[in-house]
Each structure stands twice: as C-alpha cells, then as structure tokens.
Amino acid sequence: EVQLVESGGGLVQPGGSLRLSCAASGFTFSDRYMDWVRQAPGKGLEWVGRIKNKGNSYTTEYAASVKGRFTISRDDSKSSLYLQMNSLKTEDTAVYYCAKDSGFGHFFDYWGQGTLVTVSS
Amino acid sequence: DIVMTQSPDSLAVSLGERATINCKSSQSVLYSSNNKNYLAWYQQKPGQPPKLIIYWASTRESGVPDRFSGSGSGTDFTLTISSLQAEDVAVYYCQQYCTSLSSLSFGGGTKVEIK
C-alpha cells in the first residue's frame, strides 16, 4: 500500500525558515518524480514544485511564486522527500501535500495527508 | 503559463441527478504527437487530500465508480457525475500537466452539494 506521510509543519514568523519532510513507502520511491502541492486555507490547489529521479539528474522545477525561496530535495536511500522553505511570507500559509507522480503523465496518483504551515507574527 | 478556469464555482444537484462540471484551458493541452489530452480531475472531500479520479481527460482511475466520466479535447473539458450519490459531495479540480508548455496548474475548483 502506498503511503506518503508529511511532517515538519508549524508556526513560523515572516522571513523565517522551515523544512518539511515526506516519508514514502509502498512503491519504488527512487523511480518516481515527486512533487509538492499546497492549499491555502479555504482555497484551491497550487503546484509548488517537483524533483525528478536519478535518471533525470534529480532536476528540480518550481512555481514562480516560490522560485529562489524554496528548495526540493530527496534521499532515495530513505525514501524521503524534503521541502526547504526560506524567506517565508504570510501568503505561504497553507497545507503542504507531497504527491507521487504517476510515472506516465505528470498527474498525481497518491497524495499525503498534508502538513499545515502557518506564517504569522 | 496555462490558466485553467472551472465553472460553475458551485452547484447543487438532487440525489440521482446528473452533475456537470466544466474546465477550460487557456491553451490546448492536446499533444498532436500522441493524440492525448494532458488533463486530470481530482475529488477532494472535506479534511482529506485530493484523490485522482480521471486522467488523460477520460480515463477513469482504478476503483472509481463508472458514474464518473470525463470528456472533451483541446481546451474544453467536462466532468460528469451521471447519478449523484451522497458520497460524491466534494470539491472537484481539473489539472493540466502539459509540462512542455507550462508549469502544472489547477482549476479553481467546483463545489458539488446535494440539493
């Protein structure tokens, strides 16, 4: 059974940093592209970014709204995905989901339960 | 970037009746090389993460009831629930994954309720 479990959310002040983790199991993590998607309270879904697999040089891509502030990484030996968030803004307040790329199209066949990040003074 | 626009924002449908949700993309998401539309639909129930229900615009994900169907091509797409059940109350999102042209993007969501 595929499982994605996020952790690391919490309250942080504007300008601060936070690192989210996503522990994956039930599939060959190293084969898959992995993404982060966020959802502000009461709002819709916003793609944050992606990290490709080793065969694609672990290339990362980001939404314009987070580029230069957020960094996605992965540790295939631990089946874990990370999101380092720096220079946080109040508008980054959201539930952050890790999502598994299907492997044959950049849609997401599994999602974690999400972790809430609140940026507030 | 490709902008996805859903309509309506919300709709209320009687149990057993049809629900229709529209999604329009600002550019075509149809790849001529493989004749596939790079469009997915998700269902999100309160307090839960999204769940994939349709991909390639019309392919149902395994385990999804056949009352859910997707149609359309190019820039205009539709999600239809043929006979609404109580458990279908949710927000539905479309997503384009035409990444050679654009970042991934989602529609704004359509909330489906029981009338």
Side-chain angles (χ1 to χ4, degrees):
Chain A
E1 178 194 6
V2 171
Q3 286 198 327
L4 299 169
V5 180
E6 302 94 337
S7 60
L11 175 64
V12 61
Q13 292 189 337
S17 298
L18 207 59
R19 188 193 195 211
L20 306 184
S21 300
C22 172
S25 60
F27 65 102
T28 305
F29 180 79
S30 58
D31 285 350
R32 289 286 167 261
Y33 294 9
M34 293 294 296
D35 291 58
W36 289 96
V37 178
R38 69 183 180 183
Q39 186 170 36
K43 302 297 184 182
L45 302 169
E46 180 188 15
W47 178 73
V48 172
R50 168 190 308 120
I51 186 165
K52 298 183 179 181
N53 55 17
K54 183 178 181 180
N56 288 278
S57 304
Y58 298 122
T59 301
T60 54
E61 297 169 348
Y62 299 95
S65 57
V66 306
K67 197 169 186 178
R69 299 188 298 123
F70 289 12
T71 302
I72 298 174
S73 60
R74 63 191 294 164
D75 185 338
D76 289 346
S77 69
K78 295 182 179 179
S79 295
S80 292
L81 175 72
Y82 305 101
L83 178 65
Q84 177 67 45
M85 303 183 293
N86 298 331
S87 303
L88 282 161
K89 306 175 182 180
T90 55
E91 54 263 41
D92 295 319
T93 294
V95 173
Y96 285 74
Y97 296 102
C98 69
K100 172 184 168 290
D101 189 288
S102 70
F104 52 99
H106 297 309
F107 53 90
F108 310 118
D109 53 3
Y110 290 93
W111 297 64
Q113 288 296 314
T115 188
L116 176 63
V117 173
T118 303
V119 184
S120 174
S121 55
Chain B
D1 280 357
I2 298 177
V3 176
M4 307 300 290
T5 303
Q6 287 184 233
S7 62
D9 292 336
S10 65
L11 73 161
V13 176
S14 300
L15 288 172
E17 297 299 305
R18 178 184 301 261
T20 301
I21 301 168
N22 301 301
C23 174
K24 188 174 183 68
S25 59
S26 61
Q27 300 177 53
S28 176
V29 297
L30 172 64
Y31 264 43
S32 56
S33 59
N34 58 12
N35 201 38
K36 287 188 172 184
N37 286 283
Y38 284 54
L39 191 284
W41 290 96
Y42 299 88
Q43 174 193 67
Q44 186 178 32
K45 297 182 179 180
Q48 296 185 18
K51 173 190 172 184
L52 176 68
I53 54 173
I54 299 280
Y55 56 93
W56 301 128
S58 61
T59 302
R60 253 189 319 274
E61 172 72 329
S62 175
V64 173
D66 61 6
R67 63 180 179 272
F68 290 90
S69 63
S71 62
S73 185
T75 61
D76 292 281
F77 300 91
T78 300
L79 175 70
T80 302
I81 309 172
S82 60
S83 176
L84 191 73
Q85 305 300 303
E87 61 265 31
D88 301 334
V89 169
V91 179
Y92 293 84
Y93 295 93
C94 60
Q95 177 222 336
Q96 66 80 18
Y97 46 99
C98 211
T99 55
S100 67
L101 298 177
S102 167
S103 300
L104 301 182
S105 51
F106 292 90
T110 296
K111 186 174 185 179
V112 174
E113 300 173 306
I114 305 295
K115 185 187 292 182

